[in-house]
Amino acid sequence: MAEHGYSDFFHCPQLPMEPYEAATEIRLAIDKLHGEPVCFIGSSLGGYFATWAVEESGGKAVLVNPAVHPYVLINQYVGAQRNYQTGEIHQIDAVFGEHLKHFERNISDPARYWLMVQTGDETLDYREAVTKYAGSAQTVIEGGDHSFQRYGDYLPQIWNFAQGES
């Protein structure tokens, strides 16, 4: 973000793994902005929470290979899971999935979302997101993977979307 001159506009709180705790942290981060316009950027489960945040608090969201129904997918990950960023171990169980389900939201205004997916995502079926965010701006790239290859190339366009520009 600094390379593109956006570091003053970037806020990235470390979210806890537990869904209700993550939602609390998101709300606190929004409150600290005192009504300033917000554009959430969320990847995977972060996209799921970005959708919840937009529908609860307003703003916009850029969703990068977002999880659409993570409470279903999570059944594949029951047990101890290592956070690939922090190294922390989290126990995933059926209750975790039920907690995630609480944050599912329908899309009230597709214009507030920009969906970015790659068809080679090995974790999520990109077609679920294309369907859920129908009517939203969508960038669907053949190939790629769950990490969304070449994400940095899109930062200027993401900034424009966040600012309401085309």
Side-chain angles (χ1 to χ4, degrees), residues 42-47 63-68 73 77 84 116-126 143-151:
S43 175
S44 194
L45 187 55
L63 309 169
V64 182
N65 287 333
V68 174
L73 183 66
Y77 299 95
Y84 73 92
M116 299 174 64
V117 294
Q118 292 186 327
T119 64
D121 186 332
E122 68 283 3
T123 304
L124 302 170
D125 183 345
Y126 77 95
D145 60 30
H146 190 62
S147 73
F148 199 91
Q149 296 173 6
R150 302 185 59 103
Y151 168 78

Side-chain angles (χ1 to χ4, degrees), residues 90-107:
H90 299 281
Q91 289 296 325
I92 304 299
D93 57 19
V95 172
F96 185 84
E98 288 302 314
H99 288 182
L100 283 175
K101 194 169 189 173
H102 175 82
F103 296 96
E104 183 170 34
R105 295 293 181 273
N106 292 323
I107 305 308

Side-chain angles (χ1 to χ4, degrees), residues 46 69 107 159:
H69 304 293
I107 305 308
W159 177 251

Side-chain angles (χ1 to χ4, degrees), residues 7 19 25 31 36 49 54 64 74 84 95 108 131 135 154 163:
S7 58
E25 289 298 317
D31 290 347
E36 291 289 322
F49 274 102
V54 167
V64 182
I74 206 71
Y84 73 92
V95 172
S108 63
T131 299
Y154 290 88
Q163 296 299 303

Side-chain angles (χ1 to χ4, degrees), residues 48-69:
Y48 182 76
F49 274 102
T51 300
W52 167 80
V54 167
E55 295 302 327
E56 292 293 310
S57 304
K60 296 179 169 187
V62 177
L63 309 169
V64 182
N65 287 333
V68 174
H69 304 293

